Amino acid sequence: MFLAWNEIKQNKLRFILISSVLLLIAYLVFFLSGLVNGLANMNREAVDKWQADAIILTDESDKSLPQSILSTDDVSQVKNANHLAPIAQINAIASRVSDEDTRQGVAIFAVQPDDFIAPNITDGHMFGRKGDVVAADYLKSEGFKVGDKVKLSSSDKYVTIVGFTDHARFNAAPVLYTSFETMQQIKGLPIESDPLVNAVVVQSENISTIKVPTSLEVVETETFIEKLPGYAAQNITLTLMIAFLIVISSVIIAIFLYVLTVQKASMFGVLKAQGISNAYLARSVVAQTFILTVVGVALGFALTWLTGAFLPYKVPVQFDILSMLIYALIFIIVAILGAVFSVLSIFKIDPLKAIGG
Amino acid sequence: MMPTLQFIDASKTFGDGHNTIKALKPTTFSANEGELIAIIGPSGSGKSTFLTIAGGLQTASEGDVLINGRSLKNMREKELAQVRLQDIGFILQASNLVPFLTVDKQFSLLDRVKQHNMSPEERTHLFQTLGIEHLLQQLPNDLSGGERQRVAIAKALYTKPAILLADEPTASLDSDRAFEVMSLLQKQTKLQNNTTIVVTHDTRLIPYFDKVFKMTDGVLKQEN
Ligand SMILES: Nc1ncnc2c1ncn2[C@@H]1O[C@H](COP(=O)(O)OP(=O)(O)O)[C@@H](O)[C@H]1O
Ligand SMILES: [Mg+2]
């Protein structure tokens, strides 16, 4: 630590530059991880909020909600689940009647207002009358308000926003929650007919004990999300980018440290000639790497946080402290592994050559 | 009394196959506590080879070297480093200073890696004798060649080594300083009762030494 710290103090500019490079790489990694998180949430936050263990869909739907159509008879045959909540879903384009230009893709969910998947109300009240909807509060920033009459692309009927809920996006679209009655109306079906259900959302301690008719399939929530269009591809791509970034930056860090160490070879040789052990010098190099990366990563963290505070709401970046900490840790470990290469080069220095006897 | 340093038929051969240089012919040598020894001889005769073997920086090809009775023959690098740290002080031709440490911190580093160094009083006295007490906050780069060499000498003496090895320690000093440094080495050797071996070209310094050896083509012979 003594050698490491004194060298940093004495060569401030050089070490500020190195730490800055680490800072920028860490910043990029953190930002990308925020993007992964944000984009994932756009797809899944409504589902996450249900806190469901599984979703029951028809076998032939290939885990796609709109492709799955269940009869009331099917639903009544599901056994051994703690909580069941039927759900119907369609996608539509919503626009305010007062301002037809405010077009916005939405996912409409029909749920029963007393089921566990019913939306919590952050503003206004729960849907009650025919035509009432509870909207995701993201729509507020698009100008939608409680009391707005909304036209839906798939229907000639209007719906009215009576309340808002938070964290309600599904497959990148804000959600409108409504009753099955209103859903029948939106679909242009007679209200008296049996409502169509796309799936049954389930809470259950042990989903393997759930009994369903053979035409149905119990899908774990995580599997269901993975199957959302584009979700897995997007996640894999971005995560690969982060992995590459970490690999590339670790190579850069390792090269940096190696060059720094090689530059000091004669000094290390002289110290070795005086009998200072390899272990002491190795600890010094590792300590220095640790100081540089921790400073760089911490500043990267702070800068990411600062950026997050100023990002426009539309940017799908959401920082998750836990994943950021994990990346920070990986980053520091990788840098220290890089330092080990330099340490090996110290071991190879012949003190006799260094003293030029 | 056990000699501090002993060479027993120790020799050094460089190179392999038919292209070998016998830098040090089989040599038997011993030095005792409190002795100040000079090694003179032409360049390329093997003086540095002798000195680096004595200091555990390289090992003899044949024969053995003992420091305070301990054989260096089969020691691993880690043990040799320990011997260098505990028992040997080097004053090198090249400056042995760490470029980013102030003079003061060069000594803090030694305190960190080795115990039982000079007391603060001894240290102050050493700095005064060498005329470096006003340089403590300077970096090696800010010092003149002579100042660097004096700091290097102070570093070597600071750990109170049993064997002090110096390769041309006065080469970069003017003759007044050279005489001063020699009388300091003489005084320290008697005071700390260690063994000091100095390689030098400067025959004017001969009167300071207890014994003078001459190296010729790898053969070491006592002069007086
Ligand atoms: N590492 C080495 N490899 C090969 N030859 C060496 C090596 N070190 C010294 N020598 C040779 O050994 C001889 C003695 O060298 P050295 O001990 O440095 O002499 P001096 O210090 O008296 O000038 C020279 O011929 C030199 O070229
Ligand atoms: Mg020499």
Side-chain angles (χ1 to χ4, degrees), chain A residues 29 48 98 128 146 156 193 195 233 249 275 296 307 313-314:
Chain A
V29 167
D48 283 335
S98 56
V146 170
D156 52 358
S193 66
S249 52
T307 315
Y313 138 86
K314 287 247 181 185

Side-chain angles (χ1 to χ4, degrees), chain B residues 80-94:
Chain B
L80 283 174
Q82 198 57 29
V83 169
R84 294 199 296 268
L85 184 66
Q86 296 300 334
D87 300 325
I88 312 281
F90 284 108
I91 302 171
L92 303 166
Q93 274 172 334

Side-chain angles (χ1 to χ4, degrees), chain A residues 34-237:
Chain A
L35 193 62
V36 173
N37 204 36
L39 287 173
N41 269 337
M42 272 177 81
N43 280 295
R44 61 182 291 165
E45 67 176 2
V47 178
D48 283 335
K49 217 176 152 193
W50 296 341
Q51 300 191 324
D53 299 300
I55 294 178
I56 298 169
L57 300 150
T58 59
D59 209 12
E60 59 190 16
S61 70
D62 193 26
K63 306 176 179 64
S64 158
L65 193 53
Q67 300 305 320
S68 163
I69 305 212
L70 280 68
S71 67
T72 3
D73 187 43
D74 288 333
V75 176
S76 65
Q77 286 186 51
V78 176
K79 296 269 162 19
N80 289 346
N82 295 21
H83 297 285
L84 286 181
I87 190 164
Q89 188 247 328
I90 58 164
N91 291 323
I93 306 293
S95 55
R96 271 182 296 154
V97 172
S98 56
D99 179 3
E100 294 255 352
D101 288 338
T102 56
R103 291 206 180 84
Q104 172 71 45
V106 293
I108 306 173
F109 281 132
V111 300
Q112 287 166 356
D114 49 356
D115 270 342
F116 67 92
I117 62 172
N120 62 313
I121 305 298
T122 56
D123 191 8
H125 61 81
M126 184 58 106
F127 53 83
R129 291 173 310 174
K130 225 181 295 169
D132 283 359
V133 297
V134 169
D137 54 10
Y138 299 101
L139 290 174
K140 280 186 180 176
S141 64
E142 302 298 327
F144 291 83
K145 297 182 300 295
V146 170
D148 272 353
K149 270 179 111 65
V150 173
K151 184 176 175 352
L152 297 172
S153 56
S154 49
S155 162
D156 52 358
K157 299 281 191 308
Y158 297 102
V159 293
T160 308
I161 296 176
V162 297
F164 284 101
T165 185
D166 56 2
H167 301 297
R169 283 177 302 183
F170 178 71
N171 224 340
V175 174
L176 298 183
Y177 279 99
T178 191
S179 64
F180 281 98
E181 248 189 339
T182 311
M183 183 63 109
Q184 292 288 94
Q185 202 176 32
I186 293 168
K187 286 179 175 168
L189 299 171
I191 291 177
E192 309 76 50
S193 66
D194 242 1
L196 280 179
V197 170
N198 293 104
V200 180
V201 184
V202 183
Q203 281 182 335
S204 171
E205 267 104 57
N206 187 354
I207 59 172
S208 60
T209 61
I210 298 172
K211 294 246 168 355
V212 294
T214 49
S215 62
L216 301 188
E217 184 186 13
V218 180
V219 181
E220 269 185 74
T221 310
E222 201 54 46
T223 316
F224 171 73
I225 291 171
E226 290 293 328
K227 278 283 190 170
L228 290 178
Y231 180 85
Q234 189 181 67
N235 252 355
I236 291 168
T237 311

